[in-house]
Amino acid sequence: MPSRLLLAVAAALILSACAPASSDKALREALREHPEMVVDALSQRKPELFALVVQGQQEAQDAARQAKQAEELKKPLAPAVDPQRAIRGPAGAETLVVVYSDFLCPYCAQGAKTLKEFMGRHPDSVRVLFKHYATDDLSRQAAQVYEALAIQDPKLAFAFHDAVFEAQREIEQAGEPALYALAIKLGADVARLKKDLKNPALAKRIDDDVAEARAFGIEGTPTFIINGVSVRGAAPIGEFEDVLRQVSRGGGQEAPCDTCNKKKP
């Protein structure tokens, strides 16, 4: 609900609370002649007015979110799934969560914790493909290190994923050296890491992730796509569960098979 409309509603509620129905016309005329009465009345009820504005904004956001998810249930988003990329969780899991995230985004760190809890609740039926929506040079470098480590061992990449989100502040202060030090600490093959970081395919992969996110109308991070239906922002676990229930009732998109798109030898 727009702020001006909220103010008008609040004013009407406040001023009409003590006025009998028969005096409604007179009240309206008085307000037209003396609009300063509205400001004076509102100034006496600031906490209630602020709560009303916040409630209205939240209701508008919830309505927009629900409308977007209803639209996606009918026409699910279809992220590209490369079977060569690291995927966390059981290969046969029926629910695929594709994440668009930025390693140095605080909201993404919170979202990662929520996603971990979500996976813990559904250990046999949820798997995750982590994609990138890097916003600056350092976060992009972190994305490249993650992808380079995934070539060595997906588990190593996931360990790096968790460690970076836990050490965001230190990495922002120390810069790129902190990323490499973290990878080495986790057991990375340094020579191979340096070699793989020069692979232009990794930079293209990150570019493709960002382009795909934008094509889906994603403007911020984190965003999670659960079998084709999006959860946008660092949403609470309840929203993840709600979307899962919706896609499990027959809407959304089935999780792609890991081996279906692999080339035959």
Side-chain angles (χ1 to χ4, degrees):
M1 185 181 294
S3 297
R4 291 183 179 178
L5 181 56
L6 286 172
L7 291 172
V9 171
L13 290 173
I14 293 170
L15 294 177
S16 63
C18 300
S22 59
S23 64
D24 183 67
K25 183 177 180 180
L27 177 60
R28 291 176 181 273
E29 292 178 355
L31 291 177
R32 279 196 295 269
E33 294 178 3
H34 302 283
E36 69 276 5
M37 293 172 60
V38 176
V39 177
D40 181 63
L42 295 178
S43 67
Q44 303 302 316
R45 307 294 292 273
K46 291 178 182 178
E48 293 91 336
L49 177 61
F50 178 74
L52 186 62
V53 171
V54 171
Q55 179 183 349
Q57 291 175 334
Q58 185 61 55
E59 289 175 354
Q61 292 172 1
D62 289 344
R65 171 180 56 79
Q66 292 169 5
K68 174 65 70 174
Q69 291 175 349
E71 177 185 336
E72 291 167 356
L73 277 167
K74 295 178 180 178
K75 187 178 180 181
L77 303 177
V81 179
D82 183 348
Q84 295 182 350
R85 296 187 73 165
I87 294 183
R88 197 173 211 172
E94 61 187 16
T95 300
L96 174 66
V97 182
V98 178
V99 187
Y100 298 91
S101 188
D102 180 335
F103 275 119
L104 298 182
C105 162
Y107 296 107
C108 294
Q110 180 59 47
K113 291 180 181 178
T114 304
L115 183 58
K116 183 177 181 180
E117 179 183 353
F118 182 63
M119 293 187 72
R121 292 186 180 189
H122 310 278
D124 300 322
S125 59
V126 172
R127 56 194 172 118
V128 173
L129 170 58
F130 185 82
K131 293 194 175 189
H132 310 283
Y133 203 145
T135 57
D136 58 33
D137 291 342
L138 186 56
S139 60
R140 184 180 177 87
Q141 188 62 34
Q144 287 190 249
V145 173
Y146 169 87
E147 293 297 338
L149 292 175
I151 296 175
Q152 293 188 34
D153 183 353
K155 292 182 179 179
L156 181 59
F158 297 138
F160 178 80
H161 164 284
D162 297 343
V164 171
F165 278 129
E166 288 292 334
Q168 278 185 339
R169 184 171 300 178
E170 293 84 350
I171 291 170
E172 288 180 337
Q173 293 175 347
E176 288 186 21
L179 295 172
Y180 305 135
L182 188 55
I184 294 170
K185 180 180 179 181
L186 293 170
D189 181 324
V190 179
R192 188 174 179 184
L193 176 61
K194 290 181 178 179
K195 176 179 175 292
D196 290 334
L197 282 172
K198 297 177 182 178
N199 186 348
L202 298 188
K204 183 179 184 304
R205 177 176 288 176
I206 296 167
D207 290 339
D208 289 345
D209 286 352
V210 174
E212 182 177 74
R214 289 174 175 166
F216 290 150
I218 296 172
E219 298 178 350
T221 54
T223 294
F224 310 84
I225 298 180
I226 304 175
N227 280 9
V229 179
S230 65
V231 172
R232 305 187 184 223
I237 188 70
E239 186 172 338
F240 285 74
E241 296 290 353
D242 182 56
V243 170
L244 180 60
R245 283 191 293 270
Q246 293 183 64
V247 299
S248 297
R249 286 198 296 264
Q253 177 189 55
E254 290 186 5
C257 169
D258 282 338
T259 59
C260 297
N261 297 322
K262 285 187 177 180
K263 295 181 180 179
K264 294 182 180 180

